[in-house]
Amino acid sequence: MSVFPFEAVVGQDDAKLALRIAAIDPRIGGVLLRGEKGSAKTTLARGFAALLGDVPFVELPLGATEDRVVGSLDTRAALLGGEMRFHPGLLAAADGGVLYVDEVNLLADHLVDVLLDVAVSGVNVVERDGVSHRHPSRFVLVGSMNPEEGELRPQLLDRFGLCVEVRAPAKVEDRVESVRRRLAFDAAGELRTDDVSGMRALPDTGAVLADDVLEAASRLSLQVGAEGLRADLVLSRAASAYAALDRRDKTDVEDLRRVARLVLAHRSRRGPFDPPVLSSEELERALHAAFDDTDAGNVGAEPDRALTGGQPRRTQTPPSEPGASSRGRAVGDVPAGASESVSVLSTVRAVAARRAEDPDARLEVEDLRSTVRTSPRTRTVVVCVDLSGSMGAPERAAAASGTVLGLLGDAYQRRDRVALVGFRGSGAEVLVTPTSSIEVARNRLDRLMTGGETPLAEGIETALRIATAVPSEDDVLLAVVTDGRATGTPDAFDRALETSASVRRAGVRALVLDCESGGRPLGLAAVIAQAMGAACVRAADLAPDHMTTVIRAHAG
């Protein structure tokens, strides 16, 4: 399979340098490429392996088991036949080449530990119940990740030898050159790295793409805030194909207008609760800014603020964390099935128990035991805060931000996740989708708007929707910061009570932080808590440290 040349990637000088350094001395500990989706991280990794010559390039899938990665020992064969068999894993396959892990931040922590250990030592040691096997495994470890999908634990991040921020080019001319090179490579199946500038953008199918079309595609992608370079590339390809359908041999800017909605609708969405389709009005504004603005050279430096509600939008809910690890805490043992690994110590204990009654008893298949292990459960905390115009709204907003960041401060210890819902005006908004990344939370908590009515029912309903979407095997806590007041409609409080009761019926653990202040207390927050079947804790001072401590205690 042809690989896009390493040197043909536009820019990314730091990433290229880091990869070359790691190739000289793999003991440095690997290279971590951090950046948004579509920023050529995987292209760099593949091109780097090809640059090294005829060496293995092994990609580690996220769902890989520990045995698939490090290899396995057939203890069943050793116990029954006296022969120890080793089945090589991906670390053996990567020996002498490059081991690439896309989305390494979503890989189970213990596997990241193993990869880093072997990358530095050059030796893979497989141990099972006191039996071990060693083999050489010298490779350059390259990991990539999108930090908005969750961070690596700090101790793992620190163990990567080199780390580079990889971003798609921000200048239109650089993006155009990137697209031009990719199209030329796809059309010819190769690309000369000694002369990659000024080449013709000729896709393998469709009409010829002129420079003005490529530039307009990049301006439009930047205008709607599309991340990476995929939008630029797909826009160009789609416009070319559309022109070919119209029996034309050259593409023009009007072709981009026709295909823009098909290409950009889903790429302008930043979160699961954002509208899934770009509205006609928003698209027209973007098209006008990208194609008709007389100062086109400056268009695209930032996304159109009108399209993003005054702030650049960010990306999505991180996927669920990996499941229980085979290195979890041992809680017992069971008879080993045909496909399960065998625990030597548990098997020996089983045989010893039989020999206590029959000294001549021999090892039988029925004696083989497999260890049962368990790992800590993931915990999700959904914080729901009143941001209406009632007394103390700015303090509640600041407290909510500090509490979310405080909860994420120890999220790395258990890969916990935190979400934030704010309610004000006529409805509720998901401000932070469930995440374990402090960086994601900070980006989304820069400015919390306050004011308006108090739609308490809508806030609880939105938070409950997030809580019930958490996998059933994980723990979840819904924490509501409110004084219990509900306004906007005559039946606002009754609807809030009804929604609160649905929290109890759904079996979701809840906590109400009563932030009522001033005058004679009404005790409405306690009524809401009672309807939820939740504890009610006074939080009148709204100190983030205090609220964080209370939520942690109730989250378990």
Side-chain angles (χ1 to χ4, degrees):
M1 181 182 68
S2 299
V3 176
F4 192 83
F6 185 73
E7 294 294 349
V9 176
V10 175
Q12 311 299 359
D13 293 340
D14 285 349
K16 293 174 181 176
L17 177 60
L19 290 167
R20 286 192 174 100
I21 289 173
I24 297 297
D25 187 357
R27 294 172 300 177
I28 284 174
V31 179
L32 178 62
L33 305 175
R34 300 173 79 254
E36 61 193 9
K37 58 182 181 288
S39 54
K41 300 185 294 295
T42 300
T43 300
L44 279 168
R46 289 182 178 276
F48 169 63
L51 189 70
L52 298 180
D54 187 17
V55 302
F57 179 76
V58 176
E59 289 192 62
L60 192 153
L62 282 180
T65 63
E66 183 176 355
D67 284 349
R68 179 74 180 94
V69 174
V70 304
S72 60
L73 293 169
D74 192 345
T75 49
R76 177 185 299 272
L79 288 168
L80 295 177
E83 177 187 1
M84 177 59 69
R85 299 174 187 168
F86 174 67
H87 300 287
L90 296 177
L91 294 182
D95 187 28
V98 175
L99 179 62
Y100 176 57
V101 188
D102 191 16
E103 299 182 6
V104 65
N105 51 318
L106 303 181
L107 191 66
D109 287 348
H110 74 278
L111 289 180
V112 181
D113 260 328
V114 170
L115 298 179
L116 292 166
D117 286 340
V118 178
V120 172
S121 68
V123 177
N124 180 35
V125 180
V126 184
E127 294 183 333
R128 292 290 184 274
D129 298 307
V131 181
S132 65
H133 175 84
R134 302 166 64 91
H135 70 81
S137 183
R138 298 179 178 85
F139 55 83
V140 179
L141 174 63
V142 182
S144 68
M145 59 175 285
N146 182 348
E148 293 203 352
E149 294 179 342
E151 281 285 6
L152 275 169
R153 293 176 62 184
Q155 57 267 42
L156 296 178
L157 187 63
D158 179 65
R159 292 191 58 200
F160 269 95
L162 306 173
C163 179
V164 184
E165 293 289 334
V166 180
R167 299 186 182 279
K171 295 182 179 178
V172 170
E173 56 267 30
D174 291 337
R175 297 175 74 98
V176 169
E177 184 61 24
S178 298
V179 172
R180 182 182 288 116
R181 294 182 186 184
R182 184 76 231 188
L183 291 172
F185 172 78
D186 290 344
E190 61 180 354
L191 198 63
R192 291 179 55 193
T193 57
D194 57 345
D195 183 21
V196 294
S197 62
M199 60 186 59
R200 230 176 141 207
L202 181 63
D204 45 353
T205 58
V208 174
L209 285 156
D211 286 348
D212 62 334
V213 176
L214 296 176
E215 291 169 7
S218 289
R219 288 201 304 271
L220 182 56
S221 297
L222 285 168
Q223 191 64 33
V224 301
E227 294 181 344
L229 289 166
R230 291 196 184 104
D232 310 49
L233 185 60
V234 176
L235 268 173
S236 301
R237 284 191 174 281
S240 173
Y242 179 74
L245 283 173
D246 200 32
R247 300 182 183 279
R248 288 180 282 115
D249 59 5
K250 188 175 180 180
T251 307
D252 58 36
V253 171
E254 288 305 311
D255 297 321
L256 282 179
R257 290 183 181 272
R258 180 63 184 85
V259 302
R261 179 182 302 282
L262 306 177
V263 175
L264 296 174
H266 58 297
R267 288 183 169 86
S268 64
R269 186 181 186 185
R270 289 295 174 266
F273 297 99
D274 288 334
V277 178
L278 198 67
S279 71
S280 299
E281 294 77 12
E282 290 172 326
L283 181 61
E284 282 304 317
R285 285 201 298 269
L287 288 168
H288 174 75
F291 298 153
D292 304 330
D293 198 310
T294 55
D295 190 20
N298 292 325
V299 171
E302 288 189 20
D304 188 344
R305 299 288 172 163
L307 300 181
T308 59
Q311 302 181 51
R313 297 186 192 173
R314 302 290 176 177
T315 49
Q316 67 230 19
T317 308
S320 299
E321 305 293 349
S325 159
S326 60
R327 286 191 173 186
R329 180 171 57 90
V331 295
D333 57 77
V334 295
S339 62
E340 295 175 320
S341 61
V342 173
S343 167
V344 174
L345 294 179
S346 298
T347 299
V348 169
R349 283 196 296 266
V351 175
R354 285 205 303 112
R355 286 180 178 171
E357 299 179 0
D358 180 6
D360 297 325
R362 301 183 61 182
L363 176 66
E364 304 289 347
V365 173
E366 291 76 13
D367 295 319
L368 300 180
R369 309 292 291 179
S370 179
T371 302
V372 176
R373 299 178 185 274
T374 185
S375 294
R377 290 158 64 95
T378 298
R379 178 177 59 188
T380 299
V381 177
V382 184
V383 179
C384 179
V385 62
D386 176 6
L387 297 178
S388 68
S390 58
M391 184 180 299
E395 290 80 5
R396 285 197 302 275
S401 298
T403 300
V404 168
L405 295 178
L407 291 169
L408 287 173
D410 68 350
Y412 295 109
Q413 296 178 13
R414 290 181 46 175
R415 303 301 295 266
D416 291 349
R417 303 189 302 167
V418 181
L420 178 64
V421 172
F423 57 93
R424 69 183 187 93
S426 60
E429 180 183 5
V430 181
L431 303 168
V432 178
T433 52
T435 182
S436 60
S437 170
I438 290 181
E439 182 176 340
V440 171
R442 285 201 182 103
N443 286 336
R444 297 179 182 179
L445 293 174
D446 284 343
R447 295 185 297 274
L448 294 186
M449 304 295 292
T450 60
E453 302 289 350
T454 312
L456 178 56
E458 286 77 5
I460 297 172
E461 182 180 11
T462 301
L464 179 59
R465 188 165 69 246
I466 296 177
T468 52
V470 172
S472 58
E473 63 270 17
D474 296 342
D475 294 326
V476 63
L477 176 72
L478 195 163
V480 185
V481 182
T482 179
D483 58 8
R485 291 181 174 87
T487 62
T489 61
D491 63 342
F493 187 73
D494 290 337
R495 289 192 300 107
L497 284 177
E498 182 179 344
T499 307
S500 298
S502 67
V503 174
R504 185 185 68 250
R505 289 193 297 269
V508 173
R509 286 194 304 130
L511 168 68
V512 174
L513 294 161
D514 182 2
C515 59
E516 185 179 16
S517 61
R520 183 178 177 181
L522 300 176
L524 297 177
V527 177
I528 294 293
Q530 184 177 11
M532 286 185 182
C536 185
V537 178
R538 288 284 296 160
D541 59 358
L542 293 174
D545 289 346
H546 170 67
M547 292 171 61
T548 300
T549 300
V550 170
I551 291 175
R552 282 178 182 160
H554 283 78

